Amino acid sequence: MDAIQIRPAQLTDLNPIASLLLQLGYSATEAQLQQYLNNPNRTDEIYLAESNGVVVGLISLIFFDYFPSQQQICRITALVVTEASRGLGVGTQLIDFAKDRASKRGCCQLEVTTSMRRDKTQAYYESIGFEKTSFRYIQAIEGK
């Protein structure tokens, strides 16, 4: 694979973003994504990895204050690489990019969540230095 460039997602990227999200199990129309990306109150950052002008990966980041430690944390909220590009280092490059963004924002740690069903993904994260430290519990809010 040729060199990877990582750049901010743009409105012209709606189709590849929708395709990548679908690989994670999230269905979004281009209209929904356009509305989301146009929201001036968004607090996340979304980046795409490209090879020869073709989108091969996506990472989204949020930065937040964590009261218990009085520090800022960067969380990867989505990370996906096209099936054809998996195993070629794209995911690791995206994570390295996230580490750099987190460092520049003064974060004390980078964290990522993944489905309990994704054993290979968990093994990958652990192989590159992430440590499983907690469980995440969710509860839906009625009407949302």
Side-chain angles (χ1 to χ4, degrees):
M1 173 172 282
D2 289 328
I4 298 296
Q5 292 81 41
I6 299 174
R7 62 168 179 79
Q10 303 167 356
L11 288 175
T12 56
D13 299 313
L14 298 177
N15 186 277
I17 292 171
S19 295
L20 287 164
L21 288 176
L22 198 55
Q23 291 183 46
L24 285 176
Y26 296 98
S27 179
T29 67
E30 289 187 23
Q32 289 169 323
L33 290 171
Q34 182 173 5
Q35 182 178 7
Y36 184 85
L37 291 174
N38 276 332
N39 181 351
N41 298 319
R42 279 185 33 231
T43 58
D44 60 355
E45 296 180 1
I46 304 165
Y47 297 95
L48 299 177
E50 279 186 337
S51 177
N52 290 325
V54 176
V55 174
V56 295
L58 174 147
I59 193 167
S60 62
L61 309 172
I62 59 172
F63 304 88
F64 59 96
D65 296 322
Y66 188 67
F67 171 70
S69 66
Q70 298 91 56
Q71 295 176 316
Q72 190 169 64
I73 294 175
C74 176
R75 177 180 293 160
I76 299 169
T77 59
L79 174 63
V80 60
V81 173
T82 59
E83 219 170 311
S85 299
R86 291 181 190 156
L88 302 176
V90 177
T92 302
Q93 288 181 58
L94 285 165
I95 289 172
D96 288 343
F97 177 84
K99 287 179 191 176
D100 185 59
R101 289 289 304 134
S103 177
K104 287 178 178 167
R105 294 277 304 254
C107 296
C108 68
Q109 70 184 40
L110 177 66
E111 65 181 34
V112 63
T113 61
T114 188
S115 169
M116 293 172 63
R117 296 182 307 269
R118 293 191 173 137
D119 295 330
K120 288 181 181 178
T121 303
Q122 292 173 44
Y124 166 70
Y125 289 142
E126 290 176 19
S127 76
I128 61 170
F130 283 90
E131 179 183 349
K132 191 181 297 186
T133 62
S134 63
F135 290 99
R136 177 179 170 211
Y137 295 91
I138 62 170
Q139 187 176 76
I141 306 296
E142 287 188 39
K144 297 290 178 181

